[in-house]
Structure formats: structure tokens, C-alpha cells
Amino acid sequence: MFKMTGLLTLGALGASLSVDAFAAAVGKGATNQRNRWIDALRVGAVFGFFEAITPAIGWAIGLALSTWIAAVDHWIAFFLLLGVGGHMIYAAAKAANAGGAPRDEGNNLGRLIATALATSIDATAVGVSLAVMQVNIITACLIIGGVTTVVATLGVMLGKHAGSYIGRYAEILGGLALIVIGGSILFQHLTATA
């Protein structure tokens, strides 16, 4: 059984998952003229909170099913990460073709929470992968949430100057990183059993 316990790997996973939040935060920064660090940190903390709890939900689902899927867990992790990463690349390409308008989550807390939840749904699927890989979920959630908080906070501040251009390319890179992590998991398992 592959055990993904490295902080570096979890940090890379957190960075990959945070690109949706980054893109939305860039949109917020591009459309809001009042971008102080405290406002940016508030946005980052909301995104980080939801990005931290959704993998735990997926992890619980994966843990409940782990006895039935133990023989194919590496394939499940690979295809989930491939699907999430592929969808991120597709969404970024679709936004580019549609003109790439910034995704503004609005100024009120309700809209911000709805956007944060929407951008963290992919982390639920990744949470299933974390369960089958026997990852310490508390550590994983803290790292993913912390990385997302920092990335989204920076996204708000950068959005004021860069608009949606950075967000689109960050989403593509994040999707590619998830695919690489999934491929690495599959490769390590297949070479260990060969």
C-alpha cells in the first residue's frame, strides 16, 4: 500500500488544489478597488477553510469504502486525480475561449462562501484518494487549508494588477500537477508489485 506522508507531496497537493481558489481570488481582486491586506486575508481564510474541510469529507467516504477497494486503490487515486486535473485544464481552456472574464464572487460573505465551496468541491474527490493512500487526514487538511489561505490571499492582491490572465494559467498548471501526482502514485504501486 502506498503511503503518501511527505510534507512536500502534501504541499504540492495543496498548491494544486488551491488554484481554483486563486483564480476566483484574482477575479475578486480585479473587480474590487478596495484591496487591503486585511480584506485579502479574510477572502483567503474563507477559501482555506473550505479547502481544508472538503478533503476530510472525501476521506471519510473513502475510508468507509476502503475494505472493498483495497485491491484497486492506486487505480482509483490515479483516475480521481486525473479526472480532477483534467477538468481543471478543460475549465481553464473553456474560460480562455470565452474571453476569460474574472470570476467575481461578490462583496458579501454569502457569495464569498458559495464561491469558496464551489472551488473546493474537487478536494472532496482528492480526499477519497487520501483515504485509500492512508494519509494522516488532519495533517493533510491543515496543509491544504494553509496553502490555500496563502495562495488565495496573494491572488486577491495580484488580481488588482493582473486580472484573469494569471488565474487561467495557474489553473492549467494546477491541473497538470494533479495529473502528475496521480501518475506518480500509480507508477510507484506498479513498480513496487512488479
Side-chain angles (χ1 to χ4, degrees), residues 39-127:
D39 297 324
L41 185 58
R42 180 179 66 95
V43 171
V46 171
F47 278 110
F49 173 76
F50 283 99
E51 202 73 47
I53 63 168
T54 50
I57 295 168
W59 176 82
I61 293 167
L63 196 61
L65 301 175
S66 64
T67 56
W68 295 323
I69 59 177
V72 292
D73 58 0
H74 53 285
W75 286 104
I76 292 169
F78 170 71
F79 282 115
L80 283 172
L81 293 171
L82 177 67
V84 171
H87 182 267
M88 289 170 67
I89 294 168
Y90 171 76
K94 187 175 176 182
N97 291 336
R103 295 182 288 184
D104 179 23
E105 73 276 7
N107 293 324
N108 71 39
L109 186 59
R111 288 184 191 165
L112 177 60
I113 289 172
T115 304
L117 186 57
T119 60
S120 63
I121 294 298
D122 55 350
T124 306
V126 172

Side-chain angles (χ1 to χ4, degrees), residues 74 77-78 81-82 177-187:
H74 53 285
F78 170 71
L81 293 171
L82 177 67
L178 286 181
I179 292 169
V180 168
I181 290 170
S184 172
I185 291 165
L186 184 62
F187 177 77

